[in-house]
Amino acid sequence: MLQFLCLFGPACVSMLVFLKGDDQKRSLFQLTMLYGAFAMVDTAFGLTITALFGKADYTCLQGNLNDTYISLKSMLVFIVVAAIAGFAGKALDAYVEFGFKVKREKSEDEKEN
C-alpha cells in the first residue's frame, strides 16, 4: 500500500493544486494527460532532489520502496515537489500560451486553379 501511495500520490497532489478553483470542464483524456505530465515532472524533480541532497538513500532511487523510513522520507520530498509543480503549472497555464501555425505551400496544380 505504501508503494502505491509513493508512486501515485504526488501526481494527485499536483493535480489538486493545479485544478483548485478551476471551473473548466475537462475530459477524461485531458485529465489523464495532465496526470501523466505531472507524474513525470514530479518523479524527475523528486528523484533529482533526493539524489543530490539525500544521504545515500539508494533504496528510493532504485525503485525499491520496501523500507518504511526511506519511503516516507522520499514521499515527503515528492509531495513538496508536487505542490510546487502544481503551483508552477497553474502559473504557466495562466500567463503563458503556446501555439503554432502550419503554413502549406500550394502545389503546381493548386496554383493553376
Side-chain angles (χ1 to χ4, degrees):
M1 183 65 178
L2 185 59
Q3 293 89 353
F4 181 80
L5 290 175
C6 287
L7 293 174
F8 299 110
C12 290
V13 170
S14 291
M15 284 187 60
L16 287 174
V17 170
F18 181 77
L19 296 174
K20 184 176 174 147
D22 189 12
D23 296 333
Q24 180 181 1
K25 291 285 184 183
R26 298 182 190 265
S27 67
L28 181 62
F29 178 75
Q30 290 173 328
L31 290 174
T32 305
M33 294 298 289
L34 188 63
Y35 177 83
F38 277 127
M40 288 190 303
V41 169
D42 294 344
T43 302
F45 284 115
L47 286 177
T48 301
I49 290 172
T50 304
L52 290 176
F53 300 111
K55 294 182 185 175
D57 290 338
Y58 299 112
T59 308
C60 167
L61 297 176
Q62 295 172 352
N64 186 5
L65 298 171
N66 292 330
D67 184 18
T68 306
Y69 174 72
I70 293 175
S71 297
L72 291 176
K73 192 166 99 172
S74 65
M75 188 168 160
L76 179 66
V77 170
F78 276 53
I79 287 177
V80 170
V81 167
I84 292 170
F87 283 120
K90 193 171 193 83
L92 284 174
D93 189 44
Y95 298 112
V96 177
E97 184 175 325
F98 295 102
F100 60 93
K101 191 177 196 180
V102 177
K103 186 175 179 181
R104 183 175 64 98
E105 290 186 25
K106 292 184 179 181
S107 65
E108 294 284 333
D109 295 334
E110 292 175 345
K111 288 181 183 177
E112 292 175 0
N113 293 333

